[in-house]
Amino acid sequence: MKTSRHINHTGRHKIRRSEVQITLNEHPQAPPSFDASFKLDSSKLPGDAALYVEAYHKNTSQRFHFGTAGSPIPPDNRSLDQLDLSGPILFRIKVVDNSDRIGRLVASAERLRPEEDEEEDSRASLMTFKSTDLGDLTWKMSFIPDSKPVLCINNRIPEAKEQLINNPVFQGLILPAALRETLMFIFLDIDEDDADEDSWHKPWLDFANFIAPEDKPDSADPYELNDWIDDVITEFSRQHELCDLLVTRMEDTGQ
Amino acid sequence: MSTPMRRLNEKGLKFFQDYIGRIAGDEKSDPPIAILTDDTWSESVDFNLEADGSRTFTTRYEMGEYLVQLFDGINPQDIIADTGLWSWLALLWFNQLCPAKADGTRKPSKPYNYILSPNYNHRPRHALRTTWQLVSEYAESAHFLLSKGPNERGELLEQLAARQFFIGCKGIIETASQLYSDPARNTFKVGSTSQKRRGNIRRYINYLQQLELTYDLYTLPRNEIINMLPAEYSGFLSEQGNS
């Protein structure tokens, strides 16, 4: 049974991004917490409907009861201590009928990001950056629908973002692999040559096409696509002298 | 014989993990239960409880009942993420979770079935923690998921636990219990996991994924879900009436 993502036979309202403000609060040695404030359009919602915020990442979620749509009240404990924190945290908002048709979604919003992630995502960059708990993993790429790829670096690495911007060792070892993984993901995620103009895939493909010595093969053959991605990364590495700069840094630091 | 409850420390967790790796490679050896009480490998916990390592369980549900009794009065949030504690308990009853075969070898599952994993995708696979959570939350309604022997996980739990949000929704579990429990057999109904039978557990999961587009599954009570179920579930529902 294929599940449609566009069912709305119960007249569910869509909560607009501008009606919710979510901020993440980082705490040293403790899971992050969040704040949420609402400017819900009360003309469309029954005031006594229950209001929930669900934070989620991949297969884990944590749910918080914020009172009612007419009178949101934040719970005291908003610690995200039961969530997989290895990637970007998203939020969904649910306004739920508790009187007439119990459990019916009166209104909802999906895939909301905290304000700071929204701001970073709106910048003119191909990916965003997140320092987070990755256990023993040093870094990884994280892909979530409708958002730029996120380069996650283990938060135990001191000044990770600065290292990535300024340290040729970090750049040389991470960026080519991150670029490869993202291009591979794009080809898994989209139909051939069907990158939506508004999606994050389009600027990535434009960027890769701009760098690539040859146009992307007009083929879904994985071997040809892999060769093309190889060419893109080789050229990217050449233009930014990634290996030369890495070796120089190692020599300078006596390694 | 009851043993004061403890938690494995970093060295103990590694030792346990190495042991699982060795027996997966056909080494014939007993579980290293000596580390359960040795300060080198384990440490005390903040509460005074004793677990009976010699107690025999015929089903996972029985294990869950025992754990619920054991942890009565303990704040669940204090233990739910305690990797050392859950791994200690798994080692305590390892002979039941992973029994030796006649030739002395064992066939362990992945280590995260015994050692609580830092990977959230694997956490629901822990043999004891998930069992305790289900019995603690749903009591008899979780029996159909835990009716096999301690060393068996079962397809029903596999399917539901793969969607972690679902096992936190009371209405979903109670509905599944009404659909698939067979009190006469004291386990689940024949055909619950068969992909050929209409209304099987996979179809139920698919249906829930559709339902959650328009309903808050956490809020939906069992009777509301039952009323909305498509006709394909009538077979399982009517069978309930006969058993």
Side-chain angles (χ1 to χ4, degrees):
Chain A
M1 177 166 59
K2 189 172 173 61
T3 302
S4 165
R5 304 305 297 182
H6 302 289
I7 291 174
N8 190 14
H9 57 76
T10 55
R12 182 179 70 256
H13 294 293
K14 185 179 168 88
I15 297 171
R16 293 189 305 274
R17 184 70 189 83
S18 58
E19 294 177 81
V20 187
Q21 187 174 32
I22 294 172
T23 52
L24 263 190
N25 310 310
E26 300 288 346
H27 308 288
Q29 311 297 326
S33 60
F34 76 99
D35 293 312
S37 57
F38 301 89
K39 292 178 187 166
L40 300 174
D41 183 351
S42 57
S43 65
K44 293 178 180 172
L45 306 175
D48 62 349
L51 177 63
Y52 297 100
V53 175
E54 289 176 2
Y56 63 101
H57 178 64
K58 291 191 173 171
N59 204 13
T60 61
S61 64
Q62 201 172 342
R63 181 178 166 101
F64 300 87
H65 188 193
F66 269 69
T68 62
S71 180
I73 300 171
D76 290 340
N77 183 358
R78 299 185 301 283
S79 173
L80 301 172
D81 54 5
Q82 292 166 45
L83 215 54
D84 177 357
L85 299 172
S86 69
I89 300 165
L90 297 178
F91 292 83
R92 67 171 66 91
I93 312 296
K94 290 178 174 175
V95 176
V96 180
D97 187 346
N98 271 336
S99 54
D100 184 18
R101 289 171 64 187
I102 292 174
R104 179 178 68 94
L105 279 179
V106 179
S108 64
E110 288 277 338
R111 295 175 189 163
L112 301 183
R113 286 170 296 179
E115 293 287 313
E116 52 272 34
D117 288 2
E118 286 276 325
E119 284 169 20
E120 184 159 351
D121 202 61
S122 65
R123 290 188 191 129
S125 58
L126 287 171
M127 66 170 88
T128 60
F129 173 88
K130 187 173 180 65
S131 173
T132 191
D133 181 2
L134 294 179
D136 284 320
L137 189 63
T138 49
W139 69 275
K140 73 169 188 177
M141 292 303 298
S142 187
F143 302 99
I144 50 177
D146 305 331
S147 299
K148 292 173 185 174
V150 185
L151 173 55
C152 303
I153 297 195
N154 196 314
N155 59 11
R156 286 156 55 199
I157 298 173
E159 299 173 341
K161 188 169 187 178
E162 287 69 31
Q163 298 276 17
L164 193 65
I165 293 168
N166 299 316
N167 186 335
V169 177
F170 272 63
Q171 293 168 344
L173 296 178
I174 293 176
L175 294 180
L179 182 55
R180 177 186 300 280
E181 189 172 334
T182 304
L183 290 173
M184 290 281 192
F185 181 86
I186 287 173
F187 291 127
L188 284 173
D189 194 35
I190 62 172
D191 294 334
E192 190 183 349
D193 291 330
D194 194 23
D196 191 321
E197 282 292 324
D198 298 327
S199 74
W200 64 265
H201 308 83
K202 183 70 166 58
W204 267 89
L205 286 176
D206 290 347
F207 169 70
N209 268 317
F210 179 73
I211 293 177
E214 292 180 29
D215 289 341
K216 186 177 83 64
D218 190 16
S219 160
D221 182 337
Y223 294 96
E224 284 187 46
L225 286 172
N226 191 55
D227 286 347
W228 182 76
I229 291 172
D230 257 350
D231 290 345
V232 171
I233 290 159
T234 302
E235 184 58 20
F236 173 82
S237 302
R238 189 193 66 76
Q239 287 181 12
H240 294 277
E241 303 175 83
L242 292 183
C243 191
D244 282 350
L245 292 171
L246 183 151
V247 171
T248 302
R249 169 59 70 96
M250 291 180 76
E251 288 171 351
D252 288 348
T253 55
Q255 291 176 319
Chain B
M1 188 182 72
S2 290
T3 309
M5 203 177 287
R6 293 164 65 85
R7 67 166 67 85
L8 295 182
N9 60 21
E10 285 296 320
K11 275 183 84 171
L13 289 168
K14 182 164 188 324
F15 195 89
F16 189 18
Q17 174 123 8
D18 288 347
Y19 166 73
I20 295 167
R22 290 200 309 275
I23 59 171
D26 283 347
E27 180 181 298
K28 299 174 186 175
S29 61
D30 290 330
I33 54 173
I35 72 173
L36 293 170
T37 52
D38 186 326
D39 285 341
T40 307
W41 313 96
S42 59
E43 61 196 31
S44 57
V45 290
D46 297 335
F47 39 84
N48 293 317
L49 293 178
E50 294 193 345
D52 184 356
S54 62
R55 191 177 178 119
T56 303
F57 305 99
T58 55
T59 63
R60 279 210 180 178
Y61 186 77
E62 278 185 17
M63 290 186 113
E65 283 186 312
Y66 180 71
L67 287 167
V68 169
Q69 286 170 18
L70 203 59
F71 288 127
D72 185 32
I74 301 285
N75 181 355
Q77 290 309 316
D78 290 344
I79 57 172
I80 197 162
D82 194 329
T83 299
L85 171 68
W86 290 109
S87 307
W88 186 93
L89 287 166
L91 177 56
L92 181 71
W93 289 306
F94 194 76
N95 274 325
Q96 294 185 67
L97 296 174
C98 182
K101 292 189 279 189
D103 66 357
T105 62
R106 298 170 194 259
K107 195 167 184 250
S109 304
K110 295 282 187 191
Y112 49 67
N113 284 274
Y114 317 105
I115 296 171
L116 186 62
S117 171
N119 182 329
Y120 280 77
N121 285 329
H122 296 156
R123 287 197 157 203
R125 311 275 172 153
H126 194 273
L128 296 177
R129 193 183 80 142
T130 299
T131 301
W132 163 73
Q133 281 182 296
L134 287 168
V135 178
S136 176
E137 285 287 321
Y138 307 119
E140 269 290 323
S141 293
H143 185 273
F144 75 110
L145 294 169
L146 303 165
S147 57
K148 294 290 186 183
N151 61 325
E152 293 179 72
R153 184 172 159 82
E155 178 71 7
L156 283 168
L157 183 55
E158 194 73 32
Q159 287 294 323
L160 276 169
R163 283 82 178 171
Q164 294 183 30
F165 176 68
F166 288 175
I167 60 172
C169 297
K170 190 176 183 190
I172 288 178
I173 299 297
E174 288 184 348
T175 302
S177 176
Q178 184 165 342
L179 283 169
Y180 304 119
S181 289
D182 186 339
R185 295 198 323 135
N186 207 24
T187 182
F188 50 83
K189 290 173 184 164
V190 175
S192 302
T193 61
S194 166
Q195 293 190 50
K196 292 178 183 166
R197 181 162 178 189
R198 288 165 60 79
N200 67 62
I201 185 71
R202 286 168 191 262
R203 296 284 296 170
Y204 180 57
I205 299 285
N206 282 340
Y207 175 66
L208 293 174
Q209 288 172 322
Q210 200 172 43
L211 199 63
E212 74 177 335
L213 300 176
T214 43
Y215 288 90
D216 177 44
L217 297 183
Y218 196 87
T219 304
L220 266 184
R222 175 181 57 91
N223 60 326
E224 293 284 340
I225 301 176
I226 293 282
N227 288 338
M228 286 191 282
L229 283 175
E232 71 170 282
Y233 296 91
S234 58
F236 278 113
L237 281 175
S238 60
E239 207 178 306
Q240 171 77 13
N242 293 334
S243 51

